[in-house]
Amino acid sequence: MKPYIEYSEEVIQGKKSGKAIVALESTIISHGMPYPQNVQTAREVEDIIRAGGAVPATIAILNGKIKIGLSHEELEYLGQASGVIKASRRDIPYILSAGKDGATTVAATMILAELSDIAVFVTGGIGGVHRGAEETMDISADLEELARTNVAVVCGGAKSILDIGLTLEYLETKGVPVLGYKTESLPAFYTRKSPYHVNYQMDSCEEIASLLRTKWELGLRGGVVVANPIPEKDALVENEMNSIIESALQEAEERNITGKEATPFLLGKVKELTGGKSLVANIALVKNNARVGAELAVKYESMKTTTV
């Protein structure tokens, strides 16, 4: 891996001292938010993880190198650069071999986190089965990665632009546990609840860390979804959001926007239709996930050093 991966000094020192490391994606910086909010949010999220006793590792591909942890300068560059490729599993070999820049999606971040021996990853929401997928077959690579890669993904549930019911069915087929952190209802990104239930409610990071260790020690490959609801004060109204999402989906269909371009378009349209409220909610959600992710990573790291 040495020719491909570079670790930040902070991550190197964290690993040497046995500290918990938390992976962070970079698509949210390059494709998810406008500058300068993207860079500011990334830095604040990293600081929350540090305050929780863990080391943040924002993951990206820059100039054909996998970066595990970004410097302030690299964050600034990623936040403003044009032509950064939205990188999933299929894109990683091309971006590396061609010396390009890539911002990692949930799937790509999971792959590179596992390569770097990082077990906990914090993001906003996972991708999933898109509405109308029975005709389009538009299913996020995030779900397949959750089926095969040993990383826990702390998120606000599945993005509410998706078919959440079918997303849960897919995860069940692939044997991926969906855990609710202090909730039995699967959160829907901008809202705290959906009509769907998680597999198991867990009320402490210690319980979740114990499940992770048990799963992976048994050789049961694949990730775990840790669904953490957006704080109540930051949540948007469910009925309003459903109406806005339907409108955004209709426009995407009319404009024939599909594939990897669909999610950025839909999230941008939702931001426009909510007057920017969805972006504020997105930032609050990611910060809340960072707090839980840091605590989970610390608990899991402490369990790794003990025997069953």
Side-chain angles (χ1 to χ4, degrees):
M1 289 297 130
K2 200 169 182 181
Y4 297 108
I5 299 181
E6 289 181 358
Y7 296 90
S8 71
E9 190 58 34
E10 184 180 16
V11 171
I12 290 169
Q13 292 307 317
K15 282 181 171 286
K16 281 182 180 175
S17 60
K19 292 188 82 171
I21 316 287
V22 176
L24 297 164
E25 61 155 296
S26 47
T27 297
I28 199 169
I29 302 169
S30 64
H31 294 76
M33 294 182 192
Y35 182 83
Q37 281 169 306
N38 52 1
V39 175
Q40 181 184 340
T41 300
R43 287 182 174 152
E44 288 172 354
V45 167
E46 287 190 345
D47 284 341
I48 288 167
I49 287 168
R50 292 183 186 105
V55 175
T58 301
I59 296 177
I61 304 172
L62 298 179
N63 199 25
K65 280 276 188 183
I66 296 165
K67 300 280 189 171
I68 309 295
L70 299 182
S71 67
H72 285 310
E73 293 75 20
E74 287 167 337
L75 270 178
E76 279 288 338
Y77 170 76
L78 192 61
Q80 298 181 67
S82 59
V84 177
I85 298 169
K86 186 180 176 186
S88 192
R89 171 179 279 268
R90 71 173 182 192
D91 309 296
I92 294 171
Y94 168 73
I95 296 168
L96 291 175
S97 61
K100 304 276 189 182
D101 296 330
T104 55
T105 59
V106 168
T109 307
M110 287 183 73
I111 293 165
L112 302 181
E114 187 181 44
L115 283 177
S116 309
D117 195 29
I118 300 172
V120 177
F121 160 40
V122 163
T123 187
I126 59 167
V129 179
H130 282 257
R131 301 186 196 196
E134 59 274 14
E135 294 180 7
T136 65
M137 293 300 291
D138 193 350
I139 300 171
S140 171
D142 296 355
L143 301 186
E144 199 62 38
E145 215 54 58
L146 278 159
R148 68 173 104 186
T149 303
N150 293 359
V151 174
V153 182
V154 182
C155 61
K159 295 185 177 80
S160 46
I161 56 176
L162 303 168
D163 188 319
I164 296 176
L166 288 183
T167 297
L168 281 172
E169 290 287 353
Y170 195 106
L171 290 170
E172 181 184 9
T173 300
K174 295 295 184 177
V176 178
V178 179
L179 311 179
Y181 182 62
K182 300 182 180 180
T183 181
E184 64 175 7
S185 173
L186 181 71
F189 202 57
Y190 302 118
T191 58
R192 290 177 59 82
K193 294 183 178 180
S194 73
Y196 305 97
H197 286 84
V198 297
N199 301 137
Y200 306 102
Q201 176 176 333
M202 293 200 161
D203 295 327
S204 73
C205 286
E206 193 164 1
E207 287 177 86
I208 298 170
S210 179
L211 182 146
L212 297 179
R213 188 173 82 157
T214 302
K215 181 181 193 299
W216 294 329
E217 282 184 345
L218 289 171
L220 295 172
R221 285 204 60 81
V224 173
V225 174
V226 180
N228 180 38
I230 184 172
E232 199 155 353
K233 64 183 176 60
D234 302 303
L236 301 182
V237 180
E238 188 175 347
N239 289 343
E240 285 179 22
M241 286 308 302
N242 288 339
S243 174
I244 285 168
I245 288 163
E246 286 296 336
S247 176
L249 286 163
Q250 187 175 341
E251 184 169 337
E253 186 178 348
E254 288 167 359
R255 294 173 59 177
N256 198 29
I257 296 170
T258 58
K260 67 194 294 184
E261 304 306 320
T263 298
F265 170 80
L266 290 168
L267 293 178
K269 197 68 191 173
V270 167
K271 179 193 164 194
E272 178 191 321
L273 293 172
T274 59
K277 287 180 185 175
S278 65
L279 178 59
V280 174
N282 193 353
I283 291 170
L285 173 146
V286 174
K287 288 180 179 178
N288 190 45
N289 291 343
R291 292 182 192 98
V292 174
E295 184 182 348
L296 175 58
V298 169
K299 295 285 186 192
Y300 179 73
E301 190 65 31
S302 69
M303 285 184 183
K304 279 171 61 180
T305 60
T306 61
T307 56
V308 177

